[in-house]
Amino acid sequence: MSSGGSLGYAHIGVLKAFVESGVDIVAVAGTSMGGIVSSLFALGVSPHDIEDVFVSIMSNISVFSSAALSHIGVHMGPMAFLKDMLKGIKVGHSRIPLFVYATDMYSRKPYLFQPDDDMFIALRATSSIPGIFPPIKYKGMYLVDGGIALPLPARELLKYKTPDVISVGVDVYGGTLMGIRRSRISIMHAYSLIMSRHGRCRGRGLDYIVSPNLNDYTNLMYGKVREIIERGYIAGASFLETLYKEGLL
């Protein structure tokens, strides 16, 4: 599951479509928002419950604002909730194989969180956008948003491919940019543009990539939880219908 800011809500919708159709998901991987969603799912939280978590936290935040970027803002809000929810939980406690990445600022390479790594630190690091949030110092590294080095992770998932298992990536890039001049929002826009172009060369080796139609939204619309999730659900359901027609499900 790719990075993408609030567009990453679409990952939840795709998961909802897959789960409702009885698709057996054997492993997940993600960075940034995709890392958060995939991690919660791997821990056994249903897509519906993941949706409720974000709705309860983000319902009053429509775009990044000065308040949203403060210490009690859009990042710390969900992180404060997740800190309590994930207390004592390790990455290896996931019910299915999970691969979450951050970016090491010094080596410029992705860091794959290991089974004994703290889950909350993993989610805090994978979504720490440079220039907006400080890097996370961990194991001698300074970790920032995983989408910088690996916008759409795929390699670790390929080992699970069999004649009966296909690999599917969810790419949520493609939203619009808003003409807002605040410096931090400009950083977010620049980040989104770089990731959207960089991400196109990722996900290699995957059998399919699901790309929800998110042209009406930006990566800053954190209050549009249900709307963006619905776009993901539509894309996921359409993708599954194609597989059924091809006799793959």
Side-chain angles (χ1 to χ4, degrees):
M1 301 182 201
S2 72
S3 54
S6 62
L7 300 178
Y9 293 147
H11 295 309
I12 304 170
V14 174
L15 285 174
K16 285 176 68 176
F18 283 17
V19 169
E20 288 179 7
S21 296
V23 173
D24 185 16
I25 301 174
V26 300
V28 289
T31 58
S32 198
M33 182 64 87
I36 295 175
V37 174
S38 61
S39 295
L40 293 177
F41 180 78
L43 287 171
V45 184
S46 73
H48 287 281
D49 287 342
I50 296 174
E51 176 177 2
D52 289 342
V53 167
F54 280 104
V55 167
S56 65
I57 295 172
M58 301 297 201
S59 59
N60 295 319
I61 302 175
S62 59
V63 298
F64 266 97
S65 62
S66 296
L69 288 168
S70 71
H71 290 298
I72 58 172
V74 67
H75 193 253
M76 295 306 295
M79 285 301 135
F81 177 87
L82 291 174
K83 185 175 183 178
D84 291 334
M85 177 181 178
L86 301 174
K87 186 175 181 180
I89 294 179
K90 303 292 185 181
V91 173
H93 290 162
S94 60
R95 297 185 180 182
I96 60 175
L98 167 68
F99 307 98
V100 181
Y101 299 83
T103 301
D104 180 4
M105 290 183 64
Y106 290 116
S107 71
R108 303 179 186 178
K109 295 179 180 179
Y111 172 70
L112 172 61
F113 286 95
Q114 300 302 302
D116 63 342
D117 285 332
D118 183 85
M119 181 68 85
F120 173 71
I121 290 177
L123 300 193
R124 181 73 173 85
T126 193
S127 59
S128 186
I129 301 169
I132 303 293
F133 306 110
I136 305 302
K137 186 177 181 180
Y138 187 64
K139 293 186 174 179
M141 299 175 289
Y142 284 87
L143 300 176
V144 293
D145 196 293
I148 295 172
L150 202 59
L152 181 57
R155 185 179 65 181
E156 298 297 332
L157 295 179
L158 301 183
K159 67 179 70 173
Y160 295 94
K161 289 177 61 174
T162 71
D164 297 320
V165 177
I166 62 173
S167 56
V168 181
V170 184
D171 180 3
V172 298
Y173 295 108
T176 60
L177 296 179
M178 297 185 302
I180 302 178
R181 296 184 178 180
R182 294 193 196 95
S183 61
R184 287 183 172 179
I185 294 179
S186 296
I187 291 172
M188 279 294 297
H189 287 326
Y191 168 82
S192 178
L193 181 60
I194 293 170
M195 292 303 99
S196 65
R197 292 183 176 178
H198 181 39
R200 299 303 174 184
C201 66
R202 298 296 183 178
R204 290 175 178 169
L206 294 173
D207 294 316
Y208 300 93
I209 295 181
V210 178
S211 299
N213 180 1
L214 299 170
N215 291 332
D216 296 330
Y217 303 94
T218 77
N219 63 337
L220 305 176
M221 291 183 172
Y222 283 91
K224 303 291 185 178
V225 182
R226 295 198 190 278
E227 292 180 30
I228 296 175
I229 288 176
E230 180 62 19
R231 292 295 181 97
Y233 183 86
I234 292 170
S238 176
F239 169 72
L240 292 176
E241 183 177 355
T242 299
L243 292 187
Y244 280 121
K245 290 179 178 179
E246 294 178 356
L248 296 176
L249 284 179

mmCIF file of all heavy atoms in Angstrom, residues 199-237:
data_model
loop_
_atom_site.group_PDB
_atom_site.id
_atom_site.type_symbol
_atom_site.label_atom_id
_atom_site.label_comp_id
_atom_site.label_asym_id
_atom_site.label_seq_id
_atom_site.Cartn_x
_atom_site.Cartn_y
_atom_site.Cartn_z
ATOM 1 N N GLY A 199 6.942 7.223 -7.424
ATOM 2 C CA GLY A 199 6.195 5.996 -7.165
ATOM 3 C C GLY A 199 5.871 5.196 -8.401
ATOM 4 O O GLY A 199 5.613 3.999 -8.334
ATOM 5 N N ARG A 200 5.883 5.842 -9.557
ATOM 6 C CA ARG A 200 5.528 5.123 -10.778
ATOM 7 C C ARG A 200 6.544 4.035 -11.110
ATOM 8 O O ARG A 200 6.223 3.103 -11.828
ATOM 9 C CB ARG A 200 5.422 6.103 -11.947
ATOM 10 C CG ARG A 200 4.348 7.164 -11.761
ATOM 11 C CD ARG A 200 2.983 6.564 -11.521
ATOM 12 N NE ARG A 200 1.996 7.592 -11.207
ATOM 13 C CZ ARG A 200 0.754 7.346 -10.880
ATOM 14 N NH1 ARG A 200 0.347 6.093 -10.799
ATOM 15 N NH2 ARG A 200 -0.091 8.321 -10.607
ATOM 16 N N CYS A 201 7.770 4.179 -10.633
ATOM 17 C CA CYS A 201 8.783 3.169 -10.946
ATOM 18 C C CYS A 201 8.841 2.101 -9.859
ATOM 19 O O CYS A 201 9.680 1.213 -9.913
ATOM 20 C CB CYS A 201 10.160 3.814 -11.124
ATOM 21 S SG CYS A 201 10.829 4.554 -9.623
ATOM 22 N N ARG A 202 7.951 2.198 -8.858
ATOM 23 C CA ARG A 202 7.913 1.203 -7.791
ATOM 24 C C ARG A 202 6.787 0.207 -8.049
ATOM 25 O O ARG A 202 6.000 0.353 -8.970
ATOM 26 C CB ARG A 202 7.728 1.898 -6.433
ATOM 27 C CG ARG A 202 8.859 2.842 -6.069
ATOM 28 C CD ARG A 202 10.175 2.106 -5.899
ATOM 29 N NE ARG A 202 11.248 2.987 -5.489
ATOM 30 C CZ ARG A 202 12.488 2.598 -5.234
ATOM 31 N NH1 ARG A 202 12.812 1.336 -5.352
ATOM 32 N NH2 ARG A 202 13.416 3.460 -4.872
ATOM 33 N N GLY A 203 6.703 -0.771 -7.188
ATOM 34 C CA GLY A 203 5.674 -1.773 -7.353
ATOM 35 C C GLY A 203 5.999 -2.773 -8.445
ATOM 36 O O GLY A 203 5.135 -3.534 -8.878
ATOM 37 N N ARG A 204 7.246 -2.781 -8.903
ATOM 38 C CA ARG A 204 7.634 -3.708 -9.962
ATOM 39 C C ARG A 204 7.537 -5.146 -9.476
ATOM 40 O O ARG A 204 7.908 -5.464 -8.370
ATOM 41 C CB ARG A 204 9.056 -3.409 -10.424
ATOM 42 C CG ARG A 204 9.181 -2.099 -11.188
ATOM 43 C CD ARG A 204 10.622 -1.779 -11.517
ATOM 44 N NE ARG A 204 10.731 -0.540 -12.281
ATOM 45 C CZ ARG A 204 11.868 0.102 -12.524
ATOM 46 N NH1 ARG A 204 13.000 -0.404 -12.049
ATOM 47 N NH2 ARG A 204 11.876 1.209 -13.221
ATOM 48 N N GLY A 205 7.040 -5.984 -10.332
ATOM 49 C CA GLY A 205 6.890 -7.391 -9.988
ATOM 50 C C GLY A 205 5.507 -7.757 -9.514
ATOM 51 O O GLY A 205 5.161 -8.945 -9.452
ATOM 52 N N LEU A 206 4.704 -6.759 -9.177
ATOM 53 C CA LEU A 206 3.336 -7.035 -8.744
ATOM 54 C C LEU A 206 2.489 -7.475 -9.930
ATOM 55 O O LEU A 206 2.669 -7.006 -11.055
ATOM 56 C CB LEU A 206 2.711 -5.781 -8.113
ATOM 57 C CG LEU A 206 3.332 -5.293 -6.806
ATOM 58 C CD1 LEU A 206 2.717 -3.954 -6.405
ATOM 59 C CD2 LEU A 206 3.138 -6.317 -5.695
ATOM 60 N N ASP A 207 1.554 -8.375 -9.676
ATOM 61 C CA ASP A 207 0.672 -8.840 -10.739
ATOM 62 C C ASP A 207 -0.299 -7.759 -11.174
ATOM 63 O O ASP A 207 -0.606 -7.622 -12.364
ATOM 64 C CB ASP A 207 -0.107 -10.073 -10.267
ATOM 65 C CG ASP A 207 0.802 -11.261 -10.024
ATOM 66 O OD1 ASP A 207 1.687 -11.512 -10.859
ATOM 67 O OD2 ASP A 207 0.628 -11.930 -8.983
ATOM 68 N N TYR A 208 -0.803 -6.994 -10.204
ATOM 69 C CA TYR A 208 -1.785 -5.957 -10.498
ATOM 70 C C TYR A 208 -1.533 -4.748 -9.592
ATOM 71 O O TYR A 208 -0.998 -4.888 -8.493
ATOM 72 C CB TYR A 208 -3.219 -6.450 -10.241
ATOM 73 C CG TYR A 208 -3.625 -7.641 -11.064
ATOM 74 C CD1 TYR A 208 -3.471 -8.932 -10.557
ATOM 75 C CD2 TYR A 208 -4.174 -7.479 -12.332
ATOM 76 C CE1 TYR A 208 -3.852 -10.038 -11.311
ATOM 77 C CE2 TYR A 208 -4.555 -8.589 -13.086
ATOM 78 C CZ TYR A 208 -4.383 -9.859 -12.573
ATOM 79 O OH TYR A 208 -4.757 -10.946 -13.314
ATOM 80 N N ILE A 209 -1.957 -3.578 -10.061
ATOM 81 C CA ILE A 209 -1.959 -2.379 -9.231
ATOM 82 C C ILE A 209 -3.341 -1.747 -9.327
ATOM 83 O O ILE A 209 -3.830 -1.452 -10.428
ATOM 84 C CB ILE A 209 -0.883 -1.367 -9.664
ATOM 85 C CG1 ILE A 209 0.511 -1.961 -9.440
ATOM 86 C CG2 ILE A 209 -1.039 -0.055 -8.888
ATOM 87 C CD1 ILE A 209 1.650 -1.032 -9.816
ATOM 88 N N VAL A 210 -3.984 -1.557 -8.194
ATOM 89 C CA VAL A 210 -5.295 -0.914 -8.125
ATOM 90 C C VAL A 210 -5.070 0.581 -7.891
ATOM 91 O O VAL A 210 -4.386 0.972 -6.940
ATOM 92 C CB VAL A 210 -6.149 -1.504 -6.987
ATOM 93 C CG1 VAL A 210 -7.493 -0.786 -6.903
ATOM 94 C CG2 VAL A 210 -6.337 -3.001 -7.180
ATOM 95 N N SER A 211 -5.656 1.410 -8.760
ATOM 96 C CA SER A 211 -5.475 2.864 -8.660
ATOM 97 C C SER A 211 -6.837 3.544 -8.571
ATOM 98 O O SER A 211 -7.475 3.819 -9.595
ATOM 99 C CB SER A 211 -4.700 3.400 -9.871
ATOM 100 O OG SER A 211 -3.408 2.826 -9.944
ATOM 101 N N PRO A 212 -7.331 3.822 -7.361
ATOM 102 C CA PRO A 212 -8.627 4.486 -7.208
ATOM 103 C C PRO A 212 -8.651 5.859 -7.880
ATOM 104 O O PRO A 212 -7.619 6.534 -7.979
ATOM 105 C CB PRO A 212 -8.774 4.627 -5.682
ATOM 106 C CG PRO A 212 -7.886 3.560 -5.126
ATOM 107 C CD PRO A 212 -6.724 3.475 -6.065
ATOM 108 N N ASN A 213 -9.804 6.263 -8.352
ATOM 109 C CA ASN A 213 -9.986 7.585 -8.948
ATOM 110 C C ASN A 213 -10.096 8.620 -7.834
ATOM 111 O O ASN A 213 -11.128 8.737 -7.174
ATOM 112 C CB ASN A 213 -11.243 7.596 -9.818
ATOM 113 C CG ASN A 213 -11.483 8.960 -10.464
ATOM 114 O OD1 ASN A 213 -10.703 9.899 -10.290
ATOM 115 N ND2 ASN A 213 -12.561 9.069 -11.214
ATOM 116 N N LEU A 214 -9.025 9.377 -7.648
ATOM 117 C CA LEU A 214 -8.975 10.354 -6.555
ATOM 118 C C LEU A 214 -8.736 11.770 -7.080
ATOM 119 O O LEU A 214 -8.234 12.635 -6.364
ATOM 120 C CB LEU A 214 -7.864 9.961 -5.576
ATOM 121 C CG LEU A 214 -8.051 8.586 -4.919
ATOM 122 C CD1 LEU A 214 -6.794 8.191 -4.156
ATOM 123 C CD2 LEU A 214 -9.250 8.593 -3.979
ATOM 124 N N ASN A 215 -9.117 12.016 -8.319
ATOM 125 C CA ASN A 215 -8.839 13.304 -8.944
ATOM 126 C C ASN A 215 -9.558 14.471 -8.280
ATOM 127 O O ASN A 215 -9.178 15.620 -8.475
ATOM 128 C CB ASN A 215 -9.202 13.256 -10.434
ATOM 129 C CG ASN A 215 -8.260 12.361 -11.218
ATOM 130 O OD1 ASN A 215 -7.106 12.185 -10.852
ATOM 131 N ND2 ASN A 215 -8.766 11.772 -12.301
ATOM 132 N N ASP A 216 -10.611 14.187 -7.529
ATOM 133 C CA ASP A 216 -11.364 15.255 -6.857
ATOM 134 C C ASP A 216 -10.816 15.591 -5.474
ATOM 135 O O ASP A 216 -11.380 16.436 -4.778
ATOM 136 C CB ASP A 216 -12.834 14.855 -6.718
ATOM 137 C CG ASP A 216 -13.524 14.683 -8.065
ATOM 138 O OD1 ASP A 216 -13.114 15.371 -9.017
ATOM 139 O OD2 ASP A 216 -14.451 13.865 -8.158
ATOM 140 N N TYR A 217 -9.719 14.946 -5.091
ATOM 141 C CA TYR A 217 -9.208 15.107 -3.733
ATOM 142 C C TYR A 217 -7.718 15.434 -3.744
ATOM 143 O O TYR A 217 -7.027 15.203 -4.732
ATOM 144 C CB TYR A 217 -9.445 13.828 -2.922
ATOM 145 C CG TYR A 217 -10.899 13.438 -2.869
ATOM 146 C CD1 TYR A 217 -11.426 12.540 -3.795
ATOM 147 C CD2 TYR A 217 -11.751 13.983 -1.921
ATOM 148 C CE1 TYR A 217 -12.761 12.191 -3.774
ATOM 149 C CE2 TYR A 217 -13.089 13.640 -1.887
ATOM 150 C CZ TYR A 217 -13.595 12.743 -2.815
ATOM 151 O OH TYR A 217 -14.926 12.416 -2.792
ATOM 152 N N THR A 218 -7.248 15.971 -2.629
ATOM 153 C CA THR A 218 -5.823 16.219 -2.459
ATOM 154 C C THR A 218 -5.310 15.373 -1.303
ATOM 155 O O THR A 218 -6.096 14.815 -0.531
ATOM 156 C CB THR A 218 -5.535 17.699 -2.139
ATOM 157 O OG1 THR A 218 -5.856 17.962 -0.765
ATOM 158 C CG2 THR A 218 -6.347 18.631 -3.033
ATOM 159 N N ASN A 219 -4.005 15.310 -1.186
ATOM 160 C CA ASN A 219 -3.418 14.533 -0.095
ATOM 161 C C ASN A 219 -3.533 15.250 1.244
ATOM 162 O O ASN A 219 -3.015 14.784 2.255
ATOM 163 C CB ASN A 219 -1.951 14.221 -0.390
ATOM 164 C CG ASN A 219 -1.094 15.464 -0.489
ATOM 165 O OD1 ASN A 219 -1.589 16.559 -0.765
ATOM 166 N ND2 ASN A 219 0.191 15.305 -0.280
ATOM 167 N N LEU A 220 -4.223 16.400 1.263
ATOM 168 C CA LEU A 220 -4.390 17.166 2.496
ATOM 169 C C LEU A 220 -5.816 17.113 3.038
ATOM 170 O O LEU A 220 -6.104 17.726 4.059
ATOM 171 C CB LEU A 220 -4.016 18.635 2.244
ATOM 172 C CG LEU A 220 -2.621 18.887 1.668
ATOM 173 C CD1 LEU A 220 -2.433 20.377 1.384
ATOM 174 C CD2 LEU A 220 -1.555 18.404 2.626
ATOM 175 N N MET A 221 -6.704 16.420 2.378
ATOM 176 C CA MET A 221 -8.112 16.424 2.777
ATOM 177 C C MET A 221 -8.385 15.366 3.843
ATOM 178 O O MET A 221 -9.085 14.368 3.605
ATOM 179 C CB MET A 221 -9.005 16.233 1.557
ATOM 180 C CG MET A 221 -8.998 17.410 0.619
ATOM 181 S SD MET A 221 -10.149 17.180 -0.777
ATOM 182 C CE MET A 221 -10.086 18.813 -1.513
ATOM 183 N N TYR A 222 -7.848 15.603 5.034
ATOM 184 C CA TYR A 222 -7.952 14.615 6.100
ATOM 185 C C TYR A 222 -9.351 14.498 6.691
ATOM 186 O O TYR A 222 -9.633 13.555 7.411
ATOM 187 C CB TYR A 222 -6.929 14.927 7.190
ATOM 188 C CG TYR A 222 -5.532 14.509 6.792
ATOM 189 C CD1 TYR A 222 -4.688 15.397 6.141
ATOM 190 C CD2 TYR A 222 -5.078 13.226 7.032
ATOM 191 C CE1 TYR A 222 -3.418 15.008 5.747
ATOM 192 C CE2 TYR A 222 -3.816 12.824 6.635
ATOM 193 C CZ TYR A 222 -2.993 13.725 5.990
ATOM 194 O OH TYR A 222 -1.749 13.333 5.582
ATOM 195 N N GLY A 223 -10.237 15.435 6.376
ATOM 196 C CA GLY A 223 -11.606 15.344 6.866
ATOM 197 C C GLY A 223 -12.523 14.541 5.963
ATOM 198 O O GLY A 223 -13.646 14.228 6.338
ATOM 199 N N LYS A 224 -12.045 14.198 4.770
ATOM 200 C CA LYS A 224 -12.869 13.484 3.788
ATOM 201 C C LYS A 224 -12.699 11.964 3.918
ATOM 202 O O LYS A 224 -12.562 11.257 2.924
ATOM 203 C CB LYS A 224 -12.488 13.934 2.371
ATOM 204 C CG LYS A 224 -12.606 15.420 2.127
ATOM 205 C CD LYS A 224 -14.047 15.876 2.113
ATOM 206 C CE LYS A 224 -14.152 17.339 1.741
ATOM 207 N NZ LYS A 224 -15.576 17.804 1.686
ATOM 208 N N VAL A 225 -12.740 11.487 5.122
ATOM 209 C CA VAL A 225 -12.427 10.082 5.373
ATOM 210 C C VAL A 225 -13.355 9.155 4.602
ATOM 211 O O VAL A 225 -12.899 8.320 3.799
ATOM 212 C CB VAL A 225 -12.501 9.755 6.882
ATOM 213 C CG1 VAL A 225 -12.133 8.294 7.126
ATOM 214 C CG2 VAL A 225 -11.592 10.665 7.673
ATOM 215 N N ARG A 226 -14.646 9.272 4.827
ATOM 216 C CA ARG A 226 -15.588 8.323 4.229
ATOM 217 C C ARG A 226 -15.638 8.458 2.705
ATOM 218 O O ARG A 226 -15.780 7.451 1.994
ATOM 219 C CB ARG A 226 -16.976 8.505 4.829
ATOM 220 C CG ARG A 226 -17.038 8.169 6.322
ATOM 221 C CD ARG A 226 -18.459 7.929 6.775
ATOM 222 N NE ARG A 226 -18.578 7.846 8.217
ATOM 223 C CZ ARG A 226 -18.316 6.760 8.933
ATOM 224 N NH1 ARG A 226 -17.893 5.667 8.323
ATOM 225 N NH2 ARG A 226 -18.459 6.763 10.247
ATOM 226 N N GLU A 227 -15.529 9.674 2.193
ATOM 227 C CA GLU A 227 -15.582 9.871 0.749
ATOM 228 C C GLU A 227 -14.413 9.192 0.052
ATOM 229 O O GLU A 227 -14.579 8.524 -0.982
ATOM 230 C CB GLU A 227 -15.587 11.365 0.418
ATOM 231 C CG GLU A 227 -16.840 12.091 0.844
ATOM 232 C CD GLU A 227 -16.778 13.563 0.475
ATOM 233 O OE1 GLU A 227 -16.114 13.901 -0.531
ATOM 234 O OE2 GLU A 227 -17.384 14.382 1.194
ATOM 235 N N ILE A 228 -13.214 9.371 0.598
ATOM 236 C CA ILE A 228 -12.033 8.785 -0.029
ATOM 237 C C ILE A 228 -12.032 7.268 0.138
ATOM 238 O O ILE A 228 -11.647 6.528 -0.778
ATOM 239 C CB ILE A 228 -10.756 9.420 0.546
ATOM 240 C CG1 ILE A 228 -10.705 10.913 0.191
ATOM 241 C CG2 ILE A 228 -9.508 8.716 0.012
ATOM 242 C CD1 ILE A 228 -9.540 11.670 0.798
ATOM 243 N N ILE A 229 -12.487 6.799 1.294
ATOM 244 C CA ILE A 229 -12.607 5.351 1.487
ATOM 245 C C ILE A 229 -13.562 4.760 0.455
ATOM 246 O O ILE A 229 -13.301 3.684 -0.106
ATOM 247 C CB ILE A 229 -13.084 5.034 2.915
ATOM 248 C CG1 ILE A 229 -11.963 5.319 3.916
ATOM 249 C CG2 ILE A 229 -13.546 3.579 3.025
ATOM 250 C CD1 ILE A 229 -12.364 5.137 5.360
ATOM 251 N N GLU A 230 -14.651 5.459 0.174
ATOM 252 C CA GLU A 230 -15.619 4.968 -0.806
ATOM 253 C C GLU A 230 -14.990 4.855 -2.194
ATOM 254 O O GLU A 230 -15.275 3.898 -2.930
ATOM 255 C CB GLU A 230 -16.833 5.899 -0.858
ATOM 256 C CG GLU A 230 -17.915 5.491 -1.852
ATOM 257 C CD GLU A 230 -18.547 4.142 -1.541
ATOM 258 O OE1 GLU A 230 -18.444 3.656 -0.401
ATOM 259 O OE2 GLU A 230 -19.173 3.570 -2.459
ATOM 260 N N ARG A 231 -14.113 5.809 -2.550
ATOM 261 C CA ARG A 231 -13.417 5.722 -3.840
ATOM 262 C C ARG A 231 -12.548 4.456 -3.882
ATOM 263 O O ARG A 231 -12.457 3.789 -4.911
ATOM 264 C CB ARG A 231 -12.571 6.968 -4.076
ATOM 265 C CG ARG A 231 -13.361 8.246 -4.288
ATOM 266 C CD ARG A 231 -14.187 8.183 -5.559
ATOM 267 N NE ARG A 231 -14.927 9.413 -5.790
ATOM 268 C CZ ARG A 231 -14.528 10.395 -6.581
ATOM 269 N NH1 ARG A 231 -13.363 10.307 -7.223
ATOM 270 N NH2 ARG A 231 -15.271 11.464 -6.745
ATOM 271 N N GLY A 232 -11.896 4.169 -2.768
ATOM 272 C CA GLY A 232 -11.100 2.955 -2.707
ATOM 273 C C GLY A 232 -11.956 1.703 -2.816
ATOM 274 O O GLY A 232 -11.582 0.736 -3.489
ATOM 275 N N TYR A 233 -13.118 1.744 -2.160
ATOM 276 C CA TYR A 233 -14.023 0.589 -2.201
ATOM 277 C C TYR A 233 -14.500 0.330 -3.627
ATOM 278 O O TYR A 233 -14.529 -0.824 -4.085
ATOM 279 C CB TYR A 233 -15.221 0.839 -1.289
ATOM 280 C CG TYR A 233 -16.178 -0.326 -1.204
ATOM 281 C CD1 TYR A 233 -15.972 -1.352 -0.290
ATOM 282 C CD2 TYR A 233 -17.282 -0.410 -2.054
ATOM 283 C CE1 TYR A 233 -16.845 -2.431 -0.218
ATOM 284 C CE2 TYR A 233 -18.152 -1.477 -1.987
ATOM 285 C CZ TYR A 233 -17.932 -2.487 -1.066
ATOM 286 O OH TYR A 233 -18.791 -3.558 -1.008
ATOM 287 N N ILE A 234 -14.861 1.387 -4.334
ATOM 288 C CA ILE A 234 -15.323 1.241 -5.717
ATOM 289 C C ILE A 234 -14.228 0.634 -6.590
ATOM 290 O O ILE A 234 -14.480 -0.270 -7.398
ATOM 291 C CB ILE A 234 -15.766 2.615 -6.272
ATOM 292 C CG1 ILE A 234 -17.038 3.090 -5.562
ATOM 293 C CG2 ILE A 234 -15.982 2.548 -7.780
ATOM 294 C CD1 ILE A 234 -17.419 4.522 -5.868
ATOM 295 N N ALA A 235 -13.000 1.130 -6.412
ATOM 296 C CA ALA A 235 -11.876 0.610 -7.204
ATOM 297 C C ALA A 235 -11.602 -0.854 -6.869
ATOM 298 O O ALA A 235 -11.343 -1.673 -7.756
ATOM 299 C CB ALA A 235 -10.631 1.452 -6.962
ATOM 300 N N GLY A 236 -11.660 -1.183 -5.577
ATOM 301 C CA GLY A 236 -11.415 -2.554 -5.160
ATOM 302 C C GLY A 236 -12.474 -3.507 -5.691
ATOM 303 O O GLY A 236 -12.164 -4.606 -6.177
ATOM 304 N N ALA A 237 -13.741 -3.085 -5.610
ATOM 305 C CA ALA A 237 -14.837 -3.934 -6.087
ATOM 306 C C ALA A 237 -14.753 -4.124 -7.602
ATOM 307 O O ALA A 237 -14.994 -5.228 -8.115
ATOM 308 C CB ALA A 237 -16.172 -3.305 -5.705
#
